[in-house]
Amino acid sequence: MIRQYDLIAPCHFGMESVLKNEIYDIGYEITEVEDGRVTFAGDAEAIVRANICLRTAERILLKVGSFKATTFDELYEGTKALPWEEYLPRDARFWVTKAASVKSKLFSPSDIQSVMKKAMVDRMHVAYGISNFPETGSSYPIRVFLKKDIVTVGIDTTGESLHKRGYRKASVKAPIAENLAAGLIMLTPWQAGRILVDPFCGSGTFPIEAAMIAANIAPGLKRSFTSMDWTNLIPVRLWNDVREEAQDTIDLSVQTDLQGYDIDPKAISAARENAKAAGVDSLIHFQVRPVSALSHPKKYGFIITNPPYGQRLEDAEHGGELFPTGAHPKAERLSRSAEEEAVSAEELAGIYQELGERFKAMNSWSMYLITAYPEAEKMLGLKAAKNRKIYNGMIKTYFYMFPGPKPPAKRGGQK
């Protein structure tokens, strides 16, 4: 009988619906959706497929169990009662790598980590009948989240966050996380074959993620994962099979019109380098161009962008790396540059005014932008049809949606 697991996929706050659809699309049933995380049922192959194929998840956690704990004694007993020997071989290297607490009586990460490690060791002593653990084998990092005194425990199958696709060789000012960029694109009606322009493309993340979606390139195809060494739980052949399947579905012959502009030549150079590393450089046109020169001869295109905010994100860890209640991607990958921090209020207002004017001149286009700039709609001279709250670093941002008209139906009923 194939063993089934509960798998937890943390995501950015606001991306739950997109991630839920992604999980359905790769063939698995959702069991729970909460702020910043989606839980689904799956076997060993699901762990492999989710890590390689999901575009919007932060990581994939194998849930070991959950229990209530208001004291450290209860935390110890609850942790010890979990069947660790079913997951960890006797030579496993195991530790509580992250602990977070929200509205719970137990809140000290270091104490939580220490108590849980002792409980795990004591359980393994009994299960394996040995007093010392060499911990020379594969790594099994544990992540724990306490919310309203309920302790949820999972083993991290991923390692480095899934936003790290492996293509970002060069980075410049204000890079948006890859999984957040993909999720924002997927919140729009854009699809392969439609025009997409990012006038503040920076290191190219929006156009690159769009190209990967268009060419059906799995986001995790070029990277490794912690659980690749878990041969006690996941047969090596599954990694080979899923990668081969993903490789076979890539279509680089797809027709695209993807463009990235930036006023900074260094940004465009970095974007081109990253697109090449991602294998999609043939699908994207990058160009040094100010927003004042934003234009396109065709109709029914999309502007999807991450313009300047005028503030600097702090370097801080967040719940999204555990089991988020309001997931904020690591600020180290999103921090605004010194140049952007220095942008004056007048300059910032001018950038949005220019963007609004150029968008109005592009008849029939749609625009979607993520920003924390409070005067965005006023300076754009536009009222969004809808906006969605998204956490970008520790800053609450909004994804403003300005949808244009649908293109006329083509022959055969295609749009």
Side-chain angles (χ1 to χ4, degrees):
M1 183 176 177
I2 298 175
R3 186 174 181 183
Q4 295 290 307
Y5 304 104
D6 284 328
L7 303 173
I8 303 170
C11 63
H12 293 85
F13 181 88
M15 290 289 113
E16 299 86 358
S17 62
V18 181
L19 177 55
K20 184 175 73 170
N21 289 335
E22 277 200 280
I23 292 169
Y24 279 134
D25 286 345
I26 63 171
Y28 300 102
E29 289 298 315
I30 308 297
T31 57
E32 188 175 15
V33 178
E34 301 173 82
D35 286 348
R37 60 170 162 169
V38 178
T39 302
F40 62 104
D43 55 10
E45 184 177 327
I47 296 173
V48 176
R49 197 170 292 279
N51 272 300
I52 292 175
C53 299
L54 293 180
R55 299 184 189 278
T56 58
E58 280 281 330
R59 61 184 65 253
I60 305 300
L61 301 147
L62 194 168
K63 184 178 177 181
V64 179
S66 61
F67 54 89
K68 185 175 182 178
T70 58
T71 67
F72 283 112
D73 283 342
E74 290 177 343
L75 179 66
Y76 172 88
E77 294 299 337
T79 303
K80 187 179 178 182
L82 297 175
W84 292 105
E85 67 279 5
E86 294 181 11
Y87 304 95
L88 310 181
R90 64 175 59 220
D91 66 345
R93 178 172 174 258
F94 58 97
W95 72 105
V96 181
T97 182
K98 295 291 180 183
S101 179
V102 174
K103 298 180 181 177
S104 297
K105 293 181 177 64
L106 303 179
F107 56 83
S108 167
S110 59
D111 289 335
I112 292 168
Q113 290 169 307
S114 177
V115 168
M116 292 186 69
K117 172 70 176 188
K118 184 179 188 307
M120 293 167 64
V121 169
D122 289 349
R123 170 79 184 210
M124 298 280 277
H125 278 275
V126 175
Y128 286 113
I130 55 178
S131 57
N132 294 310
F133 293 94
E135 298 203 39
T136 56
S138 301
S139 295
Y140 294 77
I142 314 301
R143 291 180 175 248
V144 58
F145 180 63
L146 286 77
K147 183 178 181 182
K148 296 181 179 178
D149 299 321
I150 300 300
V151 183
T152 303
V153 186
I155 310 176
D156 179 13
T157 75
T158 302
E160 279 197 310
S161 171
L162 289 174
H163 86 276
K164 295 190 176 181
R165 318 292 207 209
Y167 67 71
R168 185 174 280 168
K169 307 300 182 183
S171 186
V172 290
K173 63 181 181 181
I176 190 167
E178 293 90 321
N179 57 346
L180 178 55
L184 294 176
I185 292 169
M186 294 161 75
L187 279 172
T188 78
W190 178 86
Q191 26 184 296
R194 301 287 297 275
I195 306 162
L196 186 153
V197 173
D198 181 357
F200 303 96
C201 74
S203 54
T205 309
F206 273 124
I208 291 170
E209 288 295 320
M212 291 177 71
I213 292 169
N216 201 30
I217 299 174
L221 195 57
K222 293 186 176 182
R223 55 162 289 170
S224 60
F225 307 94
T226 298
S227 53
M228 289 173 66
D229 295 328
W230 298 359
T231 53
N232 61 314
L233 298 176
I234 306 172
V236 174
R237 64 169 178 80
L238 288 180
W239 293 101
N240 296 331
D241 290 348
V242 174
R243 286 186 193 277
E244 185 177 334
E245 178 187 320
Q247 189 68 45
D248 289 344
T249 61
I250 294 174
D251 179 14
L252 290 173
S253 67
V254 64
Q255 295 298 305
T256 61
D257 190 343
L258 306 173
Q259 301 185 33
Y261 308 145
D262 202 284
I263 197 170
D264 184 357
K266 291 181 180 178
I268 294 302
S269 178
R272 287 172 177 152
E273 185 179 340
N274 292 336
K276 186 174 182 179
V280 294
D281 50 313
S282 65
L283 303 179
I284 309 170
H285 172 70
F286 289 109
Q287 183 179 354
V288 177
R289 182 189 289 195
V291 68
S292 60
L294 175 61
S295 65
H296 197 289
K298 296 180 182 177
K299 291 187 173 185
Y300 308 110
F302 287 75
I303 296 169
I304 304 179
T305 192
N306 175 38
Y309 300 172
Q311 55 185 300
R312 190 176 180 87
L313 302 186
E314 296 299 325
D315 186 9
E317 190 67 24
H318 64 91
E321 287 295 314
L322 299 153
F323 305 90
T325 55
H328 319 296
K330 267 189 174 179
E332 67 186 33
R333 65 181 180 257
L334 291 167
S335 294
R336 314 308 276 184
S337 68
E339 303 98 283
E340 181 169 323
E341 189 179 17
V343 172
S344 69
E346 291 78 13
E347 289 173 314
L348 198 62
I351 288 170
Y352 283 80
Q353 287 174 340
E354 195 76 70
L355 177 60
E357 290 171 8
R358 296 315 307 150
F359 172 60
K360 291 172 190 173
M362 297 170 77
N363 183 34
S364 78
W365 277 56
S366 301
M367 181 166 68
Y368 298 81
L369 63 90
I370 181 170
T371 184
Y373 181 47
E375 302 294 317
E377 289 178 298
K378 179 182 177 181
M379 292 301 107
L380 287 167
L382 298 163
K383 177 65 177 175
K386 186 178 180 182
N387 67 63
R388 193 180 187 111
K389 183 167 66 176
I390 305 285
Y391 278 94
N392 192 352
M394 296 303 290
I395 293 177
K396 181 172 67 175
T397 67
Y398 289 92
F399 190 49
Y400 292 98
M401 306 180 183
F402 305 93
K406 294 181 180 180
K410 295 181 180 180
R411 290 181 181 177
Q414 295 180 337
K415 298 242 175 171

